[in-house]
Amino acid sequence: MKRYLLVLGLLLGGGALTSCEDYLNVNDNPNNPVTSTPNFLLPGIISNGIQTQMFTSLRVPYITQYVVSRTRNSGGNDQYYFTNAQSTNTFNYSYFQSGGNIPPMIKAAQDEGSPYYVGAGKIMQAMILAHATDMLGDIPYTEAYQGGANYTPKYDTQESIYATINQLLDEGIVEMSRPASENFRALYSTSPSESGDILYKGNASRWVKMANALKARQLQHLTKKSSYDPNAVLALCAKGFTGTADDAQIQFQTAVAPLSNTTNIFGPTRANFGAATYSTNIIKYLNGTTYPGVIDPRFGIIAPTTSTGIEPGAGTTATVNLTPGSTTVTDFYASWYARDLGYFEVITYHEQKFIEAEAAFRAGKKAQALAAYREGIRAHMRKIGVGGTFSPPAVTFPTITEAQITAYLNSAAVAQSEDELDLRRIMEQKYIAMFLNPDTWSDMRRLDFDPAIYVNLVYPTNNVNPVLATKPNYKDRFPRRMLPGATEVLYNPNEIARIGGNDPDYITRPLWFDQQ
């Protein structure tokens, strides 16, 4: 796993495997093959596909107020000034580093008779498209992945992309449900070197669970639509993850050169969050402010107990360093999620339980909603509460005991009955458990940043982007989409203009899933 999961950025660039023959059809170099077998293509698709979401997470946690800038600034992360460059990796990793290699892998797998690789390709394609469209809106698909044959693919509507995602997941489930005996090639191998399914080590049933969990997430995004059916979501959850062992995540195991690509994007080695600290939004849930006197056992794990949080845009002159006297090792780097050799979560069992809780609540199935909600809390605490010391930096995290979990579940911070349970209770616990995950932004948008649900949300101060700050309604003052990637603005300008991507108010426009 470490060979492929950690080297995020394998040699496979979008279209490279299908376009070389057109340009280099003479003097072929036998030492530089232009084709490969599916087992050597899938690791890069998985690692770079997940890397896509990691890059998005450099921006979105400021929008969702997991983190804020330590210094008071004008026109920075906290004030919702976007640039096309900030979206470039979200787009490019979706299409070039990962997605562009899926069609040739699927074809190779079909040609040799390996349906599990076909299924993995379709599920990964759906996962990549789902993330890209939820962050960017309209994106290419029907004309994508053509390499030099089409540098200017049209952008498909988000509504059509959602239909494509669902279809791909259905098709992937069919392929992954076939008997192993139908496969020419094993889905995972360690001989002579690790190849194939580096996500689930060849466990096809977990791919099926992940596909159902992704279907449930995407369907739950549609709560504003008249077609939304909470019972359909519940049916998918019943076929999804059954425990934390099913979580779809990238695990960093060994720091190998180049370190910039082989350690956690939130960690101190990659140093993306040296100027960040925690928002008051997340800290108030943990330190006993939101529910007076109830200290969350995850305080000290998600964030150090010395963290007080800062409101977005306010900045601080106070010391928020982990190490006294240090100017580089901030309190953010003392988070469980900022371990250099930690993990990055795509979709998890505890997220699925909160999806189930909300869907059951909306379906009027209060008992199921309460049970799923409480299980989501329990599962997340058990996952991050294992304790241990990790470096760099040298941080020891406390263990969360079963007694602590029980005490918290019995506290005022958690709904004790069906009558106490509401959307606020469900979504605030989901917010905590999905720390830094970009899909939290999807929840906030479809719930219109409702201050009755997100009670600690604070509108930024200090020169907020006026295209947002001057909106008359509170819910419209938060960004609803990222800008198109800079490479698309440069190389596909007509399509960017057609979708309105150059318009000053583009980031204020709700995506299709975010509209009634």
Side-chain angles (χ1 to χ4, degrees), residues 12 17-18 34-43 45 100-122 175 182-186:
L12 305 176
L17 300 177
T18 58
V34 296
T35 61
S36 183
T37 52
N39 56 311
F40 291 115
L41 294 175
L42 184 56
I45 290 168
N101 294 305
I102 294 176
M105 186 195 74
I106 288 177
K107 183 179 184 305
Q110 290 171 332
D111 289 346
E112 71 174 22
S114 295
Y116 282 176
Y117 282 91
V118 176
K122 288 178 180 290
E175 300 295 337
E182 291 187 11
N183 284 268
F184 169 79
R185 186 183 305 277

Side-chain angles (χ1 to χ4, degrees), residues 1 229 236 270 283 325 332 395 416 422 457 496:
M1 180 179 291
D229 180 1
L236 290 167
R270 295 180 78 162
I283 296 299
F332 177 83
V395 178
Q416 300 300 309
D422 57 15
L457 195 65
I496 298 305

Side-chain angles (χ1 to χ4, degrees), residues 22 36 47 97 113 198-199 212 214 243 270 277 364 391 443 449 458 489:
D22 294 336
S36 183
S47 62
Q97 278 79 0
I198 58 172
L199 181 61
N212 282 309
L214 286 168
R270 295 180 78 162
T277 188
S391 183
D443 287 337
F449 301 89
V458 177
V489 174

Side-chain angles (χ1 to χ4, degrees), residues 220 228-231 233-234 237 354-365 369 426:
Q220 190 62 20
Y228 170 72
D229 180 1
N231 288 304
V233 177
L234 295 176
C237 289
F354 290 115
I355 292 171
E356 178 187 346
E358 183 187 356
F361 178 82
R362 291 180 182 273
K365 299 178 179 180
I426 294 168

Side-chain angles (χ1 to χ4, degrees), residues 153-454:
K154 76 173 184 179
Y155 276 52
D156 299 305
T157 65
Q158 183 174 73
E159 182 176 8
S160 69
I161 293 293
Y162 260 58
T164 296
I165 292 164
N166 195 63
Q167 179 181 343
L168 286 168
L169 290 171
D170 283 343
E171 292 172 353
I173 289 170
V174 169
E175 300 295 337
M176 281 297 189
S177 299
R178 297 185 188 278
S181 60
E182 291 187 11
N183 284 268
F184 169 79
R185 186 183 305 277
L187 183 56
Y188 175 71
S189 176
T190 58
S191 178
S193 61
E194 190 174 32
S195 68
D197 172 21
I198 58 172
L199 181 61
Y200 285 128
K201 298 292 186 76
N203 190 322
S205 66
R206 285 185 173 167
W207 279 92
V208 172
K209 291 177 183 179
M210 181 178 80
N212 282 309
L214 286 168
K215 281 169 64 74
R217 174 198 270 179
Q218 296 307 114
L219 195 55
Q220 190 62 20
H221 286 173
L222 305 182
T223 51
K224 285 185 174 180
K225 300 295 185 184
S226 60
S227 61
Y228 170 72
D229 180 1
N231 288 304
V233 177
L234 295 176
L236 290 167
C237 289
K239 296 185 290 186
F241 295 146
T242 56
T244 296
D246 296 330
D247 289 356
Q249 64 186 32
I250 188 168
Q251 175 71 59
F252 295 94
Q253 296 177 332
T254 305
V256 295
L259 288 177
S260 62
N261 284 333
T262 60
T263 56
N264 191 352
I265 203 162
F266 298 122
T269 294
R270 295 180 78 162
N272 291 302
F273 287 87
T277 188
Y278 299 94
S279 168
T280 53
N281 195 332
I282 184 67
I283 296 299
K284 285 179 178 179
Y285 286 123
L286 302 174
N287 70 1
T289 298
T290 306
Y291 294 96
V294 182
I295 306 297
D296 193 311
R298 292 167 288 191
F299 200 29
I301 301 175
I302 292 177
T305 56
T306 54
S307 299
T308 57
I310 302 171
E311 294 188 354
T316 182
T317 58
T319 300
V320 289
N321 294 329
L322 170 64
T323 304
S326 169
T327 58
T328 57
V329 182
T330 71
D331 62 343
F332 177 83
Y333 291 139
S335 172
W336 172 262
Y337 292 88
R339 293 167 297 144
D340 264 350
L341 301 184
Y343 51 71
F344 181 87
E345 298 172 335
V346 176
I347 187 166
T348 63
Y349 170 68
H350 55 260
E351 178 187 348
Q352 181 189 282
K353 296 310 289 187
F354 290 115
I355 292 171
E356 178 187 346
E358 183 187 356
F361 178 82
R362 291 180 182 273
K365 299 178 179 180
K366 300 296 184 65
Q368 181 178 358
L370 183 64
Y373 156 79
R374 292 171 70 85
E375 173 61 11
I377 298 169
R378 184 182 295 108
H380 183 244
M381 286 189 173
R382 286 174 175 168
K383 181 174 183 177
I384 70 170
V386 295
T389 300
F390 299 85
S391 183
V395 178
T396 299
F397 297 99
T399 300
I400 300 178
T401 67
E402 289 299 310
Q404 287 176 299
I405 295 174
T406 299
Y408 184 77
L409 288 172
N410 291 335
S411 74
V414 178
Q416 300 300 309
S417 67
E418 296 174 25
D419 290 339
E420 285 187 21
L421 189 64
D422 57 15
L423 279 180
R424 171 193 164 175
R425 296 287 197 147
I426 294 168
M427 300 313 297
E428 66 188 8
Q429 287 295 337
K430 186 180 182 184
Y431 177 84
I432 297 168
M434 289 183 66
F435 184 63
L436 301 177
N437 191 303
D439 203 62
T440 294
W441 189 24
S442 300
D443 287 337
M444 286 184 154
R445 283 175 287 175
R446 66 184 175 83
L447 294 170
D448 290 325
F449 301 89
D450 188 346
I453 294 175
Y454 298 102

